[in-house]
Amino acid sequence: MTKSEFVDQVADRAGLSKRDASEAVDAFLETIEGALRRGSEVSFSGFGKFSVSHRSAREGRNPATGERIQIAASRVPKFTAGAGLKKAVK
């Protein structure tokens, strides 16, 4: 499902115009992004939790040449599905 398809379904289910639904979806995504940027977690009971995971620096290899390279430490977004979502998908 693409973002535009998602917006269409939100507009349908909530009885909103596509413009209003698009603004709501954008605000939702921006809010989660902002919270993760600050290092906070965003939890939706029964759905799941968005958080930030830390990857430490490590050594890797260039698959084309086999040359060793250093991979810098980084912060990456992480989503953990909640029990309700897992049950719905099962």
Side-chain angles (χ1 to χ4, degrees):
M1 174 182 291
T2 64
K3 183 178 176 184
S4 62
E5 292 170 339
F6 183 76
V7 167
D8 290 344
Q9 287 195 15
V10 168
D12 244 10
R13 291 179 185 209
L16 300 171
S17 69
K18 288 186 182 182
R19 181 179 180 190
D20 289 342
S22 178
E23 289 175 2
V25 168
D26 286 341
F28 172 77
L29 296 174
E30 288 169 7
T31 302
I32 291 175
E33 184 181 313
L36 294 178
R37 190 178 299 125
R38 291 187 305 273
S40 300
E41 292 182 347
V42 179
S43 295
F44 295 99
S45 185
F47 181 75
K49 178 173 72 171
F50 295 91
S51 60
V52 176
S53 181
H54 301 277
R55 288 189 184 160
S56 57
R58 62 196 186 280
E59 188 177 273
R61 288 191 181 265
N62 180 334
T65 64
E67 176 186 0
R68 291 181 178 195
I69 56 174
Q70 285 292 35
I71 301 171
S74 62
R75 293 173 15 144
V76 293
K78 177 181 172 184
F79 176 75
T80 305
L85 181 59
K86 288 179 185 178
K87 185 177 179 182
V89 172
K90 202 174 194 182

